[in-house]
Amino acid sequence: MSNPVLAEVFRANLVESRHRGAVAVADADGATVLAIGDVATPVFPRSAVKALQALPLIETGAADRYGFGDEELALACASHSGEPGHVAVAERMLASAGLDASVLRCGAHWPMSQAAATELARRGEPTALHNNCSGKHAGFLCDACGIGVDPTDYWRPQHPVQRHVRGVLENLTGASLTDARCAIDGCSVPTWAIPLQNLAVGFAKFATGRGLSPERARAAARLRTACAAKPWHVAGTGRFCTEIMQLFGARVFVKTGAEGVYCGALPELGLGIALKCDDGAGRASQAVMAAIIARFLPLSDAEQAALARFTQPSLRNWNGFEIGAIRVTAAI
Amino acid sequence: MSNPVLAEVFRANLVESRHRGAVAVADADGATVLAIGDVATPVFPRSAVKALQALPLIETGAADRYGFGDEELALACASHSGEPGHVAVAERMLASAGLDASVLRCGAHWPMSQAAATELARRGEPTALHNNCSGKHAGFLCDACGIGVDPTDYWRPQHPVQRHVRGVLENLTGASLTDARCAIDGCSVPTWAIPLQNLAVGFAKFATGRGLSPERARAAARLRTACAAKPWHVAGTGRFCTEIMQLFGARVFVKTGAEGVYCGALPELGLGIALKCDDGAGRASQAVMAAIIARFLPLSDAEQAALARFTQPSLRNWNGFEIGAIRVTAAI
């Protein structure tokens, strides 16, 4: 079993590197619209399912209780760049539940944004607020406080918050999330391996509400609206998820995950998308996601032109010389 | 044609990502000792051939003229982390030829070392001296000054310095470096695509001097001695190349290149090594290089134990929890 090459990295006119992977596109009834490579073996979706992990925050009433708007809800779905605006919203979310950064258990890392990291280095050191997952963790903590349970161990698999998340993931994807499929994510919460086919169906449900309880469908719509309204809060300056959602608004939802995963939704078509590059390469998975959007979504000439820099990104060296490009293969 | 999986990245007990690639091990007479995957298609060796690119610096007499010792020669072979000690040696090399950083054409980037980048951010911005290639570029510039040619365009393919480098690469690898195989490297000098098999033979010659002119063999020995004596200057704190050469001294030469390339030499066995991960992943290529060393080099129990953390590195998340490991496959 060998997945096809989905993207090639050119230096001058020669292929320097190549990325294999698998792609699933499905509707909310479970019908496969596109399957490239192995879409049946479970893969860790990592941060690509943050929007599904954020559904309990709304379903429990915690988001309303703490008066969360689009910025807070988008940040709860985010792998953010640790820019000052991201940090401020995470802090605000925690403060609304009477908490501060000391309760975050995601660990600290330097902001993904080089500019934010440089600016921070001039003043101090990173905290857990700068972790790209701090919005998700703030959401978990607010959820715990909202339902009146001790938030201390909010990140452990057996905590009510994570049990609720697990149930949501099983409901949307139809996958059985056994302990044998559970691992620890980069930010220490559980991550369960789920087949791409199931993830695509899950995001089709997220996109449409079909097959979900009315309450869950409303929560999904509210998260999609928040991410479409505040795409900068979902990632950050110059990031793929942000720029794609700035370009397409509510027509496209996309979310990156570590190790080459991307999940997405095309609500007007009722489709969900899930893909992974075998080797974990983000540069390839985002080019492939852009190509999948281009393949399915009806685009104006202007949109097609705008999308080209994501489907065929040019590569530049430290002097800014164009030295090559990434090209998605005919497999897509 | 599909190269085998050389390394698997585990999260808990499941394979999360996998890396394919090819490996060549050869002797200086051109005999293949090991060939895994496609070792015949040209690949860009990138920085993995810096030691070969540094041979002219000695052969022209420039290194002697400017009084270069082990630190300068090791830095000329380096992809360094931009730590203060690296920057100081690059500056010293340039000063010895009456030059300063303004002549470097490698471009500026933040130090690879997070600690060095943080420290630098507190004082200023990166310059070309912090570029991981600044030692190589300083070597090129000193070479040009040493032979009395205008150094201005030292990075262009038609400059005498690069023409000399091209001849050296052709001599050691036996590959014909046509313009169709030439691309621009990250630091803007030419990089020529060369089959792994030829690169392995080239590094076997570098390791032994066999098949080289006496002058070139002496230059190779001097560079190997310099890198073995000053491995920190070849990479930096905590880096694979540095730690492996600290561990084995003159018994092992290793050098990383971008996009998953590694070249190396085992002088006592007369062997050269060249490998590339198809997808460009450095994490896999260094585990594979460690496994190749373990396979061929006679090791004491202590050395075997010390090498284990490179052949099977454990992976930790932002909280320091062990979440998985990289494991080299049975293909090696």
Side-chain angles (χ1 to χ4, degrees):
Chain A
M1 174 218 77
S2 165
N3 284 327
V5 174
L6 301 182
E8 294 174 324
V9 181
F10 282 79
R11 182 164 295 266
N13 295 316
L14 298 176
V15 174
E16 180 166 28
S17 298
R18 44 183 62 78
H19 299 282
R20 292 170 183 273
V23 182
V25 181
D27 70 20
D29 300 322
T32 300
V33 174
L34 177 71
I36 299 171
D38 175 10
V39 299
T41 298
V43 304
F44 291 111
R46 311 290 303 276
S47 291
V49 292
K50 274 178 176 166
L52 310 189
Q53 291 171 303
L55 287 167
L57 178 63
I58 298 175
E59 292 176 9
T60 59
D64 283 334
R65 176 166 179 172
Y66 299 121
F68 288 171
D70 289 341
E71 291 185 355
E72 290 86 352
L73 294 177
L75 200 79
C77 300
S79 295
H80 66 71
S81 295
E83 298 175 74
H86 300 124
V87 171
V89 175
E91 216 161 8
R92 192 165 84 208
M93 290 169 75
L94 292 168
S96 68
L99 303 170
D100 63 26
S102 66
V103 295
L104 288 171
R105 288 290 170 272
C106 45
H109 66 70
W110 286 94
M112 282 194 207
S113 155
Q114 178 67 60
T118 303
E119 177 53 30
L120 177 60
R122 292 184 176 132
R123 299 180 283 111
E125 297 283 335
T127 70
L129 288 167
H130 299 93
N131 185 305
N132 74 88
C133 300
S134 69
K136 177 178 73 173
H137 281 247
F140 288 152
L141 283 156
C142 290
D143 187 11
C145 292
I147 59 173
V149 303
D150 180 355
T152 310
D153 287 335
Y154 73 93
W155 56 279
R156 292 189 190 271
Q158 64 273 24
H159 190 276
V161 164
Q162 298 304 331
R163 290 214 312 264
H164 192 166
V165 167
R166 181 177 179 159
V168 166
L169 289 170
E170 289 188 319
N171 173 232
L172 271 90
T173 67
S176 178
L177 304 186
T178 59
D179 287 351
R181 287 192 185 180
C182 188
I184 303 170
D185 211 331
C187 64
S188 298
V189 302
T191 180
W192 286 274
I194 301 172
L196 291 173
Q197 169 67 18
N198 295 66
L199 287 166
V201 172
F203 275 88
K205 290 181 184 167
F206 177 78
T208 60
R210 276 176 68 96
L212 301 181
S213 69
E215 173 194 37
R216 185 155 290 168
R218 274 194 301 276
R222 195 161 154 199
L223 288 176
R224 284 190 284 110
T225 301
C227 294
K230 299 290 177 184
W232 182 84
H233 290 79
V234 180
T237 308
R239 296 267 306 281
F240 180 85
C241 293
T242 295
E243 298 207 340
I244 289 292
M245 292 196 284
Q246 280 173 342
L247 190 57
F248 292 108
R251 299 183 70 201
V252 178
F253 173 84
V254 283
K255 181 65 190 69
T256 186
E259 294 292 331
V261 179
Y262 253 95
C263 287
L266 304 174
E268 74 195 61
L269 303 174
L271 298 179
I273 305 164
L275 63 91
K276 177 175 165 75
C277 285
D278 294 354
D279 52 69
R283 65 180 178 185
S285 62
Q286 64 187 38
V288 172
M289 177 54 93
I292 293 290
I293 294 168
R295 175 168 167 167
F296 285 96
L297 201 67
L299 298 175
S300 68
D301 289 351
E303 286 167 336
Q304 207 140 30
L307 202 55
R309 76 185 176 91
F310 299 105
T311 54
Q312 298 204 348
S314 69
L315 300 174
R316 293 179 181 279
N317 75 2
W318 297 115
N319 282 321
F321 300 162
E322 189 167 342
I323 53 82
I326 300 177
R327 291 184 196 285
V328 173
T329 68
I332 306 297
Chain B
M1 173 219 76
S2 166
N3 284 327
V5 174
L6 301 182
E8 294 173 324
V9 181
F10 282 80
R11 183 166 293 266
N13 294 317
L14 297 176
V15 175
E16 179 165 30
S17 298
R18 43 183 62 78
H19 299 282
R20 293 170 182 273
V23 182
V25 182
D27 71 20
D29 300 322
T32 300
V33 174
L34 177 70
I36 299 171
D38 174 10
V39 299
T41 299
V43 303
F44 291 111
R46 311 290 302 277
S47 291
V49 292
K50 274 178 176 165
L52 311 189
Q53 292 171 302
L55 287 167
L57 177 64
I58 298 175
E59 292 176 9
T60 60
D64 282 334
R65 176 166 178 171
Y66 299 121
F68 288 171
D70 289 341
E71 291 186 354
E72 290 86 352
L73 294 177
L75 201 79
C77 301
S79 296
H80 65 72
S81 295
E83 297 175 74
H86 300 124
V87 171
V89 175
E91 216 161 9
R92 192 166 83 207
M93 290 170 74
L94 292 168
S96 68
L99 302 171
D100 63 26
S102 66
V103 295
L104 288 170
R105 288 290 170 273
C106 45
H109 66 69
W110 286 94
M112 282 194 209
S113 154
Q114 177 68 61
T118 303
E119 178 52 31
L120 177 60
R122 293 184 174 132
R123 299 179 283 110
E125 297 283 335
T127 70
L129 288 167
H130 300 93
N131 186 305
N132 74 88
C133 300
S134 68
K136 177 178 73 173
H137 280 247
F140 288 152
L141 283 156
C142 291
D143 187 12
C145 293
I147 59 174
V149 303
D150 181 355
T152 311
D153 287 335
Y154 73 93
W155 57 279
R156 292 187 189 274
Q158 65 272 25
H159 189 277
V161 165
Q162 298 304 332
R163 290 212 312 265
H164 192 165
V165 167
R166 180 176 178 159
V168 167
L169 289 170
E170 287 188 321
N171 173 231
L172 271 90
T173 67
S176 177
L177 305 185
T178 59
D179 288 351
R181 287 192 185 179
C182 188
I184 303 170
D185 211 330
C187 64
S188 298
V189 302
T191 180
W192 285 275
I194 301 172
L196 290 173
Q197 169 67 19
N198 295 66
L199 287 165
V201 173
F203 274 89
K205 291 181 183 167
F206 177 77
T208 59
R210 277 177 68 95
L212 302 180
S213 68
E215 175 194 35
R216 185 154 291 168
R218 275 194 301 276
R222 196 160 153 198
L223 288 176
R224 283 190 285 111
T225 301
C227 293
K230 299 290 177 184
W232 182 84
H233 289 80
V234 180
T237 307
R239 296 265 307 279
F240 180 84
C241 293
T242 295
E243 298 206 340
I244 289 291
M245 293 195 285
Q246 280 173 344
L247 190 57
F248 293 108
R251 299 182 71 200
V252 178
F253 172 85
V254 283
K255 181 67 189 69
T256 186
E259 294 292 332
V261 179
Y262 252 95
C263 287
L266 304 174
E268 74 196 59
L269 303 175
L271 299 179
I273 306 164
L275 63 90
K276 177 175 165 76
C277 285
D278 294 355
D279 53 67
R283 66 180 177 184
S285 61
Q286 64 187 37
V288 172
M289 176 54 94
I292 293 290
I293 294 168
R295 174 167 168 168
F296 286 96
L297 201 67
L299 298 175
S300 68
D301 289 350
E303 286 168 335
Q304 208 140 29
L307 202 55
R309 75 185 177 94
F310 299 106
T311 54
Q312 298 205 348
S314 70
L315 300 173
R316 293 181 181 277
N317 75 2
W318 297 115
N319 281 322
F321 300 162
E322 189 168 341
I323 53 81
I326 299 176
R327 292 184 196 284
V328 173
T329 67
I332 306 296

